[in-house]
Amino acid sequence: GVKVLALFAPEHGIRGTRDQAKIDDGTDERTGLPVYSLYKNETRAPSPAQLEGLDALVFDIQDIGCRFYTYLSTMGNAMEVAAREGKAFFVLDRVNPIDGITVDGPVREGEASFTAWHPIPVRHGMTAGEMDRLFAAERRMQLDLTVIPLQGWSRAMRFGDTGLPWVNPSPNM
């Protein structure tokens, strides 16, 4: 009963293969859907016009478990827009590939940036689903938020322990 109407691409494009300063909007070759780049302007978030006709946003991107990796910043930006525009927000949770136990490195201090969107340590130990709940709570977002939980993962597991196939989420991995 779900109809996908558009795709929103993070820093490395919709397939995680591009490594360039700006990525323009386009059409997805596999689906024919419009792709709106969230990496072509400073807002790095969907515009209200792009959300017209949509009931919800779905975040389904593999993070790497490190603060300066921008996919969770993209999620946070999209969550804020969804909250303002009254759109539901779904997160298809993914494992933290470097485990969910180890927390390490300094917590971000000072101003937020795209590579330090929220005051968390460098290695945060959280999944995307846990992170979006943290963002929503600490930033007091009025958001219709649903997390589709992980199955078969425990916090001590690294990605290699899951038996899942690894697909690089960006050219930098």
Side-chain angles (χ1 to χ4, degrees):
V2 174
K3 184 175 181 182
V4 178
L5 299 175
L7 302 172
F8 293 89
E11 178 177 355
H12 297 290
I14 200 66
R15 304 266 177 253
T17 58
R18 301 180 70 188
D19 196 13
Q20 60 197 67
K22 301 283 185 199
I23 297 174
D24 289 326
D25 294 342
T27 302
D28 181 50
E29 296 172 3
R30 293 186 193 171
T31 64
L33 291 169
V35 177
Y36 299 114
S37 175
L38 301 180
Y39 199 67
K40 67 177 184 177
N41 58 43
E42 292 306 311
T43 65
R44 296 192 172 130
S47 71
Q50 291 168 334
L51 297 180
E52 284 183 24
L54 302 182
D55 297 323
L57 291 173
V58 178
F59 183 86
D60 183 20
I61 299 176
Q62 179 64 56
D63 182 50
I64 66 162
C66 180
R67 175 183 68 213
F68 47 78
Y69 202 64
T70 62
Y71 290 168
L72 292 181
S73 300
T74 299
M75 180 181 72
N77 287 341
M79 289 171 65
E80 289 184 333
V81 171
R84 279 195 308 270
E85 298 297 317
K87 305 296 181 180
F89 199 89
F90 291 83
V91 176
L92 307 183
D93 208 1
R94 301 279 191 108
V95 303
N96 184 319
I98 55 176
D99 83 40
I101 294 174
T102 308
V103 175
D104 196 15
V107 173
R108 186 214 83 205
E109 294 180 2
E111 293 294 317
S113 70
F114 195 50
T115 56
W117 195 82
H118 197 77
I120 57 175
V122 172
R123 186 170 171 180
H124 53 72
M126 299 177 82
T127 69
E130 293 167 335
M131 195 65 73
D132 74 332
R133 288 181 177 131
L134 176 78
F135 290 172
E138 291 191 357
R139 291 176 176 242
R140 294 183 175 89
M141 294 181 198
Q142 299 299 312
L143 179 64
D144 179 4
L145 176 61
T146 302
V147 176
I148 309 303
L150 288 167
Q151 295 180 355
W153 181 74
S154 68
R155 301 200 77 74
M157 295 172 82
R158 290 178 174 248
F159 195 88
D161 300 328
T162 68
L164 298 169
W166 177 256
V167 176
N168 279 344
S170 79
N172 302 320
M173 293 299 105

